[in-house]
Amino acid sequence: VVYTIVAFSGKAHVSDAQEVSITGTTDVEENNPIYLACSAPLDADGIDWYFNGQPLEADDRKKISIETTESMEDNTITSVVEKQRASMRDAGVYACMPWSGQGTTHAVDVQRGGCSRVLGAPSGEITS
């Protein structure tokens, strides 16, 4: 079984040779969206998100959405975090934690002025 986290980042290894990886926004200019996505096997039962070590939840006022879907065809659960307009306060470390196994982290840098998005930047590993 393979955990694939969709966001621009790296991979972490989970017990039983299962993998976790994140892809998504790495560098973003203020007022542009942040997009991170995490996929795991259905047996993970769910996915939680954290920002700088604190739980991250959907918030209409802050324009943060979190949508989770299950695919029986792919045997995966996918959770997507989107912040419509990044601010300097949104720079930091985002973590995706499947309810079972290990998770992974992903750093997002918010800049004033022009910048580019980078795919496949390194990330760290965290455990539950």
Side-chain angles (χ1 to χ4, degrees):
V1 179
V2 174
Y3 292 159
T4 305
I5 300 174
V6 184
F8 306 118
S9 184
K11 295 181 181 178
H13 295 282
V14 180
S15 59
D16 300 326
Q18 298 172 337
E19 294 182 8
V20 175
S21 65
I22 287 184
T23 61
T25 306
T26 299
D27 294 308
V28 64
E29 184 177 337
E30 267 188 311
N31 299 316
N32 285 322
I34 293 174
Y35 175 90
L36 302 171
C38 173
S39 296
L42 279 176
D43 62 3
D45 294 324
I47 295 170
D48 289 325
W49 285 96
Y50 296 85
F51 173 65
N52 290 335
Q54 299 299 312
L56 180 65
E57 298 179 0
D59 187 324
D60 289 339
R61 186 179 59 79
K62 294 179 181 179
K63 307 286 189 210
I64 298 171
S65 65
I66 300 176
E67 295 185 23
T68 303
T69 58
E70 295 181 358
S71 170
M72 297 302 203
E73 182 177 313
D74 296 333
N75 197 36
T76 59
I77 183 170
T78 302
S79 181
V80 175
V81 172
E82 186 170 6
K83 171 105 192 255
Q84 291 180 7
R85 296 180 62 186
S87 70
M88 298 302 287
R89 292 184 305 259
D90 298 315
V93 177
Y94 292 78
C96 167
M97 293 292 300
W99 291 358
S100 60
Q102 296 177 334
T104 190
T105 61
H106 177 80
V108 174
D109 186 27
V110 179
Q111 302 175 4
R112 299 184 201 280
C115 70
S116 61
R117 292 183 180 186
V118 178
L119 301 179
S123 66
E125 178 182 300
I126 55 178
T127 60
S128 56

